[in-house]
Amino acid sequence: MIARRVYRMAQAGSIQNLKRLSESLELPKADEVSVRVRAIGLNFADIFAMQGLYSATPRGSFIPGLEFSGEIFAVGDEVTAWQVGDKVMGVTKFGGYASHLNIHHRYVIPLPEGWSFAEGAGFLVQGLTAYYALTELGNLQPGMTVLIHSAAGGVGILANRICKKLGAYTIGTVGQATKIDFLRKGESYDAVILRDKDFTEKLQFALDGRSLGLIMECIGGKILEQGWKALAPMGRMVVYGNASFTSHGARPNYLRLIWKYLQRPKIDPLRLPTENKSLLGFNLIYLYEQTDMMHLLLNKLQALELKPQHIGHVYSFDRMHEAIHLFQSGKTVGKVVVKLTV
């Protein structure tokens, strides 16, 4: 048994229920490794889970967190691929907000040479999200024009880099003008536009006669509707999130959520053949049990040799609530990471 620090919730509903506790961690099972966590990546799924808006959230007490990096300090009796001291990054179906954790050995992979622990903790969930959405669902092709919402976020940054590797033209959107220069100069988007009341006109100007073939949709509401109308015949919209439903407070504003739900865009499936467009959606956490598929996607993703994730904000473990609050604000650029000291 080893003492560990965790952030645990007695039940989902309010981020205020997230408490820092000390617990004991058992020895790893025969097929598990024990990881001393050095960095934790924050994701929107964490927020929705803590607020009770995520269908995959465990019932009762749980530890949030989907991705981490660290060092292996113990291995199960049947594990031969890993040794004590190996540096790894990994994914977990909750349980990541911890200083130490046990996990099946197939859910960790080597930390790439030269990468920091923070970069390792910021890559897997958002890298897999971007790659699966673009290539498996979006059928990304050279020369395709791709609209990427939340372009300065972790998924948006990696999605653009994947598109560039595969020869696509990218248009990024942001909710705050302060992020535009970063994307144009630091991430080489072909065009960047601000999502405001003139979004439709700005999008048409950015397209400049190009056919919009693929949309990475994570905003919802009017932006989704406007993007759908701009999507070219044979185009695909891949929905992997809905930031417009995000609350900036500890609890969801249920009246606001109900209003947004009632006002949501309604795309009639009977009209899809006539419009000749495709609407696809996915949630990466439901692929967690498909370990072979995850490794196949990871191999393809790593073959692109992308630069490590841009880490925009780093907090210490005892400032977890501050990190979450900033993440909710929408003011972040790149990945928000929580680091732990040895």
Side-chain angles (χ1 to χ4, degrees):
M1 304 283 279
I2 187 171
R4 68 170 181 167
R5 296 165 289 156
V6 304
Y7 279 93
R8 179 180 289 277
M9 303 188 74
Q11 62 180 16
S14 172
I15 297 174
Q16 291 179 343
N17 296 335
L18 184 68
K19 305 296 182 183
R20 181 177 169 179
L21 304 172
S22 294
E23 297 182 350
S24 294
L25 182 67
E26 298 179 351
L27 295 174
K29 296 177 182 177
D31 57 0
E32 291 182 334
V33 295
S34 298
V35 179
R36 179 177 292 107
V37 177
R38 299 291 297 275
I40 301 162
L42 301 192
N43 292 281
F44 268 111
D46 301 353
I47 306 301
F48 282 106
M50 288 185 281
Q51 292 183 335
L53 300 175
Y54 198 13
S55 60
T57 305
R59 294 182 179 274
S61 177
F62 74 102
I63 298 171
L66 304 178
E67 62 183 338
F68 61 90
S69 66
E71 299 165 314
I72 292 177
F73 70 89
V75 297
D77 293 339
E78 297 176 2
V79 176
T80 59
W82 299 104
Q83 297 179 348
V84 172
D86 286 344
K87 296 180 179 180
V88 297
M89 52 187 186
V91 291
T92 179
K93 194 172 181 180
F94 303 105
Y97 288 11
S99 64
H100 303 75
L101 56 83
N102 294 333
I103 191 165
H104 192 283
H105 69 91
R106 294 199 69 194
Y107 287 106
V108 294
I109 64 172
L111 183 72
E113 187 71 28
W115 282 29
S116 68
F117 284 114
E119 290 167 341
F123 183 74
L124 286 178
V125 169
Q126 294 176 326
L128 282 169
T129 297
Y131 186 82
Y132 183 73
L134 289 168
T135 65
E136 299 294 313
L137 299 183
N139 191 33
L140 181 64
Q141 299 293 322
M144 183 179 285
T145 299
V146 184
L147 178 65
I148 303 172
H149 291 304
S150 294
V155 174
I157 289 172
L158 294 179
N160 177 63
R161 294 178 185 176
I162 293 169
C163 286
K164 290 304 167 189
K165 286 281 186 176
L166 299 179
Y169 185 92
T170 54
I171 302 172
T173 82
V174 292
Q176 298 183 12
T178 54
K179 302 179 182 182
I180 293 177
D181 281 347
F182 165 78
L183 292 176
R184 284 178 175 165
K185 298 175 182 178
E187 293 298 328
S188 302
Y189 267 89
D190 293 298
V192 183
I193 55 180
L194 182 68
R195 296 189 304 272
D196 59 13
K197 60 182 179 62
D198 299 318
F199 174 72
T200 296
E201 292 75 16
K202 289 180 178 179
L203 177 56
Q204 290 303 320
F205 181 81
L207 286 169
D208 192 24
R210 297 178 182 85
S211 295
L212 180 56
L214 176 57
I215 301 176
M216 289 281 286
E217 166 57 46
C218 60
I219 305 299
K222 291 182 178 179
I223 294 297
L224 186 154
E225 187 174 28
Q226 291 167 339
W228 180 257
K229 290 179 180 178
L231 191 64
M234 301 295 290
R236 303 186 185 197
M237 174 182 283
V238 180
V239 180
Y240 66 95
N242 200 320
S244 64
F245 279 75
T246 304
S247 168
H248 297 302
R251 294 179 178 275
N253 183 333
Y254 286 104
L255 289 178
R256 178 174 173 271
L257 290 178
I258 291 171
W259 182 85
K260 282 185 170 292
Y261 180 77
L262 294 175
Q263 297 295 316
R264 73 194 187 282
K266 297 176 179 62
I267 298 173
D268 184 355
L270 295 180
R271 291 184 56 85
L272 292 180
T274 301
E275 296 187 64
N276 202 13
K277 302 175 183 180
S278 298
L279 178 66
L280 305 100
F282 81 104
N283 188 327
L284 191 70
I285 201 166
Y286 292 107
L287 295 177
Y288 185 80
E289 307 298 337
Q290 307 298 320
T291 317
D292 290 339
M293 180 184 291
M294 289 182 66
H295 278 278
L296 178 62
L297 293 172
L298 271 173
N299 290 338
K300 293 179 179 179
L301 174 61
Q302 290 181 303
L304 294 177
E305 297 183 340
L306 302 179
K307 295 188 300 182
Q309 176 67 278
H310 176 81
I311 307 302
H313 314 270
V314 178
Y315 285 81
S316 61
F317 191 68
D318 60 358
R319 297 176 63 197
M320 177 67 78
H321 278 274
E322 292 179 56
I324 292 170
H325 182 70
L326 176 68
F327 188 70
Q328 286 182 280
S329 72
K331 298 178 181 179
T332 60
V333 172
K335 189 73 175 183
V336 180
V337 170
V338 171
K339 294 182 68 175
L340 296 91
T341 55
V342 178

